Amino acid sequence: MNIDMIRAAAKRLEGHARVTPLLNSPFLDEIAGRRVWIKPECLQRTGSFKFRGGWSALSALDPDTRARGVIAFSSGNHAQGVAHAATLHGVPSVIVMPRDAPALKIANTKALGAEVVLYDRGSEDRDRIGAQLAQERGLTLIKPYDEPQVIAGQGTTGLEIVTQARDAGVENADILVCCGGGGLTSGIALAAEAEAPGLRVRPVEPEGFDDVARSLRSGGIERNNRVSGNICDAIITPQPGDITFPIMHRLCGPGLVVTEDEALQAMAQAFLRLKVVAEPGGAVALAAALCRQDQIEGEDVIVTISGGNVDPEIFARSLKTLS
């Protein structure tokens, strides 16, 4: 992984991915005690940053390989990103998804043109299922985060942040990134290292699923004890990736951890103050900016809202935190 791959991915994404804005609200600034700059990747195609990685990976395949089709496993956002990118390329896609994934994400993945294969997180192995289907059908596996071209695509988010922060006069700040396996986190960290060394990336995770934060502290890859049981489903992974962790260990600051309730509160504030819809996993970075002020330094903080694919009942639950 290197910055040249991210720059090349940015060129392939031109005209296909949206350049999402960098937003600010004085109301959020007051809560956080500093200026908060929000990168709303929930406004990206398919409702999350994952389209960047999906398009990057598919567009990097040689035409003959791509024509045979691709396979991915995901709780929803990577699924939708790969499905849409595959459909736009005119090739088939198969997505292996957990049965307990949000109904909206399963429905959207099918609507975007993918064949969806459901599995049980507790009793079935998605890697085995994916490997078997790939072998039987000649499909190319596109991993959700531990894949160089996927990381390169996610890193284009970082290139945009650097340019937009510079335009806003921000040269020194923490970038809080919603973190699962580390694809977005490591991609943004590589972009910041090359283009804006005054910006430091920090991963944010939900309580009980803080494998990256623990891994950064210990210096080695730590696993979560559970792989389900949190509303932040989009960023629940067993452990950091073999490719992503060394990048994060070298470049990232300490991880931050927030509760489910704090993620719900952040969702409500994003809607109330920015008119932006975030899903729980996509709101944890904003939650950290608003609720972990004492663990952040400086006059500015940049946060990602990594996705907005939320079921209506969960979104309604978030709005109840305003009352």
Side-chain angles (χ1 to χ4, degrees):
M1 274 308 308
N2 57 67
I3 188 62
D4 291 335
M5 291 179 64
I6 296 173
R7 290 171 179 151
K11 290 183 178 179
R12 296 197 307 276
L13 279 159
E14 285 181 4
H16 302 288
R18 295 174 184 148
V19 176
T20 54
L22 197 65
L23 306 177
N24 174 255
S25 163
F27 298 103
L28 297 179
D29 293 351
E30 184 176 359
I31 297 171
R34 55 176 52 86
R35 290 192 299 178
V36 181
W37 302 92
I38 296 95
K39 181 69 168 170
E41 279 294 294
C42 50
L43 303 180
Q44 188 55 257
R45 295 182 75 157
T46 71
S48 88
F49 73 96
K50 290 287 192 176
F51 177 76
R52 296 175 185 266
W55 183 273
S56 172
L58 269 133
S59 61
L61 294 173
D62 71 79
D64 289 341
T65 300
R66 185 168 57 234
R68 289 194 291 272
V70 296
I71 186 169
F73 38 80
S74 165
S75 66
N77 285 337
H78 180 62
Q80 292 173 77
V82 170
H84 193 37
T87 297
L88 291 173
H89 277 94
V91 303
S93 62
V94 177
I95 310 296
V96 182
M97 301 183 70
R99 294 184 187 279
D100 61 350
L104 177 68
K105 293 182 178 180
I106 294 175
N108 284 353
T109 303
K110 292 178 180 178
L112 289 167
E115 175 190 344
V116 173
V117 176
L118 299 176
Y119 76 100
D120 183 272
R121 290 189 205 242
S123 61
E124 295 182 287
D125 184 348
R126 70 178 186 180
D127 293 340
R128 183 190 61 76
I129 295 170
Q132 182 176 346
L133 287 170
Q135 183 177 14
E136 290 174 354
R137 305 190 191 183
L139 305 171
T140 298
L141 174 64
I142 298 181
K143 297 180 181 179
Y145 51 86
D146 221 24
E147 158 58 46
Q149 290 297 352
V150 168
I151 298 170
Q154 320 307 25
T156 64
T157 313
L159 294 180
E160 290 177 17
I161 288 173
V162 166
T163 299
Q164 293 164 334
R166 186 179 298 124
D167 290 345
V170 178
E171 296 183 358
N172 296 283
D174 281 347
I175 305 174
L176 310 187
V177 182
C178 309
C179 186
L184 180 62
T185 306
S186 59
I188 293 177
L190 286 167
E193 176 193 32
E195 301 287 348
L199 302 181
R200 178 181 68 160
V201 169
R202 298 182 65 184
V204 185
E205 298 167 290
E207 188 176 57
F209 299 87
D210 58 342
D211 49 296
V212 172
R214 289 184 285 111
S215 298
L216 291 175
R217 287 197 301 269
S218 71
I221 291 179
E222 305 282 346
R223 288 185 61 87
N224 287 321
N225 294 325
R226 297 179 291 149
V227 293
S228 63
N230 192 286
I231 62 172
C232 300
D233 64 284
I235 56 172
I236 300 302
T237 55
Q239 64 186 52
D242 293 332
I243 298 173
T244 61
F245 176 67
I247 298 169
M248 293 189 289
H249 187 246
R250 181 172 67 86
L251 296 177
C252 290
L256 296 163
V257 180
V258 300
T259 67
E260 284 189 340
D261 285 343
E262 289 166 340
L264 289 168
Q265 292 167 24
M267 290 170 61
Q269 290 297 331
F271 175 73
L272 183 66
R273 305 305 183 186
L274 300 169
K275 314 310 175 197
V276 163
V277 174
E279 62 189 277
V284 296
L286 179 58
L290 301 179
C291 302
R292 298 289 180 272
Q293 301 98 321
D294 59 337
Q295 298 180 38
I296 302 168
E297 298 178 355
E299 298 179 354
D300 296 273
V301 65
I302 301 168
V303 306
T304 62
I305 293 181
S306 57
N309 293 309
V310 56
D311 282 347
E313 56 269 28
I314 295 292
F315 189 67
R317 182 177 159 189
S318 77
L319 296 182
K320 291 179 180 178
T321 66
L322 297 172
S323 58

